[in-house]
Amino acid sequence: MIRFENVTKTYKAGTVALRDVSLDIEKGEFVFVVGPSGSGKTTAIRLLLREEVPNAGRIWVAGRDIGALTNWRIPYLRRNIGCVFQDFRLLPNKSVFENVAFALEVIGRPKHVIASQVPQVLELVGLARKRDNLPSELSGGEQQRVAVARAFVNRPLILLADEPTGNLDPATSQGIMRLLDRINRTGTTVVVATHDAGIVDQMRRRVIELDHGMLVRDQERGVYGYGT
Amino acid sequence: MPVSIDYVSRETASNLWRNRLMTIAAILTVAVSLSLVGAALLLRQGVAHATTKWQHGVNVLVFLDSNITSTQQNSLQQELTALPYVRTCLYRSQQYDFNEARHLLPPDEAQALTVSTMPASLRCVLQDPRQAQAVFDQFHGRPGVQAVSYPSQAVRNMEQVTKILQWVFFVLAVILLLSASVLILNTIRLAIFARRREVSVMKVVGATNWFIRVPFMCEGLVQGVMGAVVAALVVFGLHWLLDDLASSNPNSVLFQMRMPVAEVVVTNLLVVLVGLVVGTVGSAFAIRRFLDA
């Protein structure tokens, strides 16, 4: 589903964000990408969304070399990848329903599809009763659930989460992770970039560790730190 | 890139309303800038009108000897009228000229005049005042002709002045238009910058560039047209005010600058068109850097 082939990314200032990284993620996997700040996790996600292009190496998503995409095809790549961020990135003046519906509207889904899909996914994330609230009226955990709903509403092949629990307390974080786990069980490939040791240790899934842009560990059923 | 009309109109309307302060700022910017552009164009047109009117008032006067025979006088008049660049040629008797001179000159000077000292004249209005010299050359010194007078240097001077004035106003309008465009562009950019978050969300959920661009362009269009309509109303008001002022002062320059309303309408249509184009293209241009290359 996702393949990095000797990917190197250097930014203009000379910082090396990723150094010769190769990895494979199969369809339906649940993967944590861990490492301290500046280890290259966010760069990896930006590369997958093709917000950046690698200086060397190739990236394949769903059997397609995304370096070869023309600019006008990039939106179609992003429709296959749902994305959740640390800062939620909800539109503050749209209601919960509208925020989720926006993702479908943007890709040109007809009204009746929106009317049936959005309540369904809001039910899944447990926010059916808050559909008319504004994001500012929700707790952090609830806002992140809306973001997850928006990322998942068009059933993407891949769900990327960049520090999804970075702004949440441990109990709320667990709730979000359970939600991502449920989404993973529908067959969606889930990749979570995080430095939250608690959730990694609890979930016991595949762990890929980056350090200074290099892949230093790729372990099935791993934990955050070394050992075990 | 299927962008539904329903989505675009809904999005445009709600964005205009949600960002109403920015909308008002943009509309006012367009209105003020284009009012200045319109006013400059109006002035240029006024000067052009004054020039034409003034040129039509240029006369060549052929003063006749007091002992001229009526056949000589008739043939002179016919010859003058036959010239292609002469519009009309009218005979003024000694009495007529005497009356006019008394009317025009200060009383003490007019007292020295008698009917018999005034020459009769032929007054010719020219199609093209630049031909006055030709009339002079042809009729000066002819039997029965006392003198030929025309405002030679004055014509050329005045022509040059009005030509320069017209250019000045035109250049002024172009400069104002350029600065207006930059100002409008900057306002739109600010408005879009305030909403870069929204644009980034749209990108991340897979909106095509056109899908993001079209509502912004529609917004720019609405703002541009609304501002331009305000500017057009200002220009209309200005014209109405000046026209009113002119009609009460028939001797003023303003009176010479009067123009038909149809011309103001054309200028205003131009102003609205400029607002439309600057608003739409400006938005498309301003959003460019937030989209994929």
Side-chain angles (χ1 to χ4, degrees):
Chain A
M1 181 59 58
I2 297 171
R3 165 177 287 175
F4 278 53
E5 274 178 15
N6 309 101
V7 174
T8 297
K9 174 68 190 174
T10 317
Y11 286 109
K12 276 199 189 99
T15 4
V16 182
L18 286 180
R19 217 185 285 260
D20 197 25
V21 170
S22 296
L23 57 87
D24 259 301
I25 296 171
E26 297 301 321
K27 182 169 170 30
E29 267 195 280
F30 192 117
V31 181
F32 284 111
V33 180
V34 301
S37 299
S39 58
K41 305 186 299 277
T42 301
T43 298
I45 283 179
R46 289 175 60 82
L47 287 169
L48 278 174
L49 288 170
R50 208 172 177 278
E51 287 179 359
E52 300 284 351
V53 277
N55 300 90
R58 290 208 271 184
I59 300 170
W60 301 74
V61 173
R64 205 183 271 278
D65 176 2
I66 66 170
L69 288 179
T70 51
N71 275 332
W72 69 272
R73 298 211 60 123
I74 295 172
Y76 300 92
L77 162 75
R78 291 181 186 153
R79 287 173 196 191
N80 288 321
I81 304 176
C83 219
V84 177
F85 302 93
Q86 179 172 4
D87 57 355
F88 320 138
R89 295 204 195 168
L90 300 175
L91 298 177
N93 40 26
K94 285 187 194 292
S95 71
V96 167
F97 183 92
E98 286 168 335
N99 261 289
V100 178
F102 190 65
L104 291 177
E105 229 161 18
V106 154
I107 60 174
R109 290 283 181 273
K111 264 187 181 156
H112 67 271
V113 173
I114 295 175
S116 73
Q117 295 275 68
V118 177
Q120 214 176 313
V121 78
L122 284 179
E123 189 70 46
L124 175 80
V125 302
L127 284 173
R129 280 167 46 210
K130 302 228 167 172
R131 54 173 279 166
D132 294 324
N133 287 70
L134 289 176
S136 57
E137 297 162 348
L138 303 179
S139 70
E142 287 171 329
Q143 288 187 47
Q144 193 61 297
R145 284 167 185 275
V146 178
V148 171
R150 182 180 66 193
F152 185 62
V153 70
N154 70 334
R155 314 284 149 158
L157 298 167
I158 300 166
L159 190 85
L160 299 180
D162 189 5
E163 303 282 3
T165 59
N167 280 345
L168 305 174
D169 61 75
T172 317
S173 298
Q174 266 185 30
I176 294 291
M177 293 320 293
R178 270 200 298 274
L179 184 58
L180 292 180
D181 186 44
R182 258 168 85 184
I183 286 171
N184 174 240
R185 279 189 226 143
T186 65
T188 307
T189 310
V190 176
V191 178
V192 180
T194 188
H195 57 236
D196 183 340
I199 58 167
V200 178
D201 292 347
Q202 195 168 33
M203 299 280 287
R204 286 293 186 130
R205 297 302 185 102
R206 179 177 169 191
V207 173
I208 293 170
E209 185 174 344
L210 294 174
D211 190 19
H212 291 95
M214 280 182 292
L215 197 152
V216 294
R217 174 164 63 124
D218 187 347
Q219 184 180 23
E220 289 299 320
R221 304 184 62 76
V223 291
Y224 191 87
Y226 275 107
T228 325
Chain B
M1 38 114 199
V3 183
S4 82
I5 294 167
D6 174 58
Y7 169 81
V8 170
S9 50
R10 209 155 27 89
E11 198 69 3
T12 304
S14 77
N15 281 339
L16 282 172
W17 179 244
R18 274 174 187 156
N19 306 295
R20 48 191 174 274
L21 217 61
M22 273 297 182
T23 303
I24 291 168
I27 289 175
L28 283 181
T29 310
V30 175
V32 171
S33 324
L34 290 186
S35 295
L36 290 174
V37 172
L41 286 175
L42 205 67
L43 272 174
R44 196 195 82 87
Q45 275 171 297
V47 170
H49 270 272
T51 313
T52 341
K53 271 189 200 145
W54 187 79
Q55 281 177 340
H56 285 162
V58 170
N59 291 346
V60 173
L61 300 179
V62 179
F63 291 105
L64 304 174
D65 279 338
S66 49
N67 55 4
I68 193 172
T69 63
S70 61
T71 38
Q72 271 179 322
Q73 181 206 314
N74 280 340
S75 76
L76 273 176
Q77 191 169 1
Q78 272 166 19
E79 225 179 302
L80 274 165
T81 318
L83 288 173
Y85 43 80
V86 172
R87 191 186 301 239
T88 56
C89 241
L90 292 175
Y91 174 73
R92 302 282 193 228
S93 68
Q94 285 178 297
Q95 183 65 50
Y96 185 97
D97 279 351
F98 174 71
N99 290 343
E100 201 183 55
R102 256 206 333 205
H103 186 70
L104 290 174
L105 293 175
D108 51 327
E109 282 177 48
Q111 263 173 357
L113 296 174
T114 60
V115 177
S116 58
T117 57
M118 287 301 296
S121 61
L122 289 169
R123 304 200 162 195
C124 303
V125 178
L126 302 187
Q127 298 273 15
D128 180 355
R130 277 166 296 190
Q131 300 293 343
Q133 179 72 43
V135 179
F136 177 85
D137 292 343
Q138 201 174 343
F139 291 90
H140 179 70
R142 287 273 291 269
V145 175
Q146 195 183 63
V148 179
S149 119
Y150 69 98
S152 59
Q153 202 49 51
V155 170
R156 269 174 239 144
N157 283 347
M158 190 63 189
E159 236 172 38
Q160 292 228 300
V161 169
T162 54
K163 230 176 223 153
I164 291 170
L165 263 184
Q166 284 190 46
W167 269 106
V168 166
F169 284 129
F170 182 72
V171 170
L172 201 69
V174 169
I175 292 172
L176 281 171
L177 186 67
L178 284 180
S179 51
S181 307
V182 172
L183 217 62
I184 295 165
L185 196 82
N186 201 39
T187 314
I188 297 171
R189 253 171 113 135
L190 262 174
I192 292 177
F193 188 72
R195 282 157 60 196
R196 63 196 182 285
R197 192 185 172 83
E198 202 170 325
V199 173
S200 82
V201 169
M202 288 170 99
K203 274 169 67 177
V204 109
V205 294
T208 57
N209 283 348
W210 274 106
F211 192 89
I212 299 172
R213 206 180 282 142
V214 168
F216 278 103
M217 284 172 76
C218 284
E219 257 183 86
L221 183 142
V222 171
Q223 291 169 350
V225 168
M226 280 171 88
V229 165
V230 173
L233 289 176
V234 169
V235 171
F236 260 128
L238 197 70
H239 173 252
W240 178 80
L241 206 75
L242 292 180
D243 207 53
D244 197 50
L245 214 66
S247 56
S248 54
N249 301 300
N251 291 322
S252 64
V253 186
L254 276 181
F255 191 79
Q256 302 293 313
M257 288 170 66
R258 285 176 86 175
M259 67 191 85
V261 179
E263 268 188 45
V264 187
V265 171
V266 171
T267 305
N268 275 340
L269 283 180
L270 192 77
V271 164
V272 172
L273 192 75
V274 167
L276 188 147
V277 171
V278 169
T280 316
V281 176
S283 306
F285 195 74
I287 187 109
R288 219 180 33 161
R289 63 192 223 103
F290 295 102
L291 302 176
D292 296 304

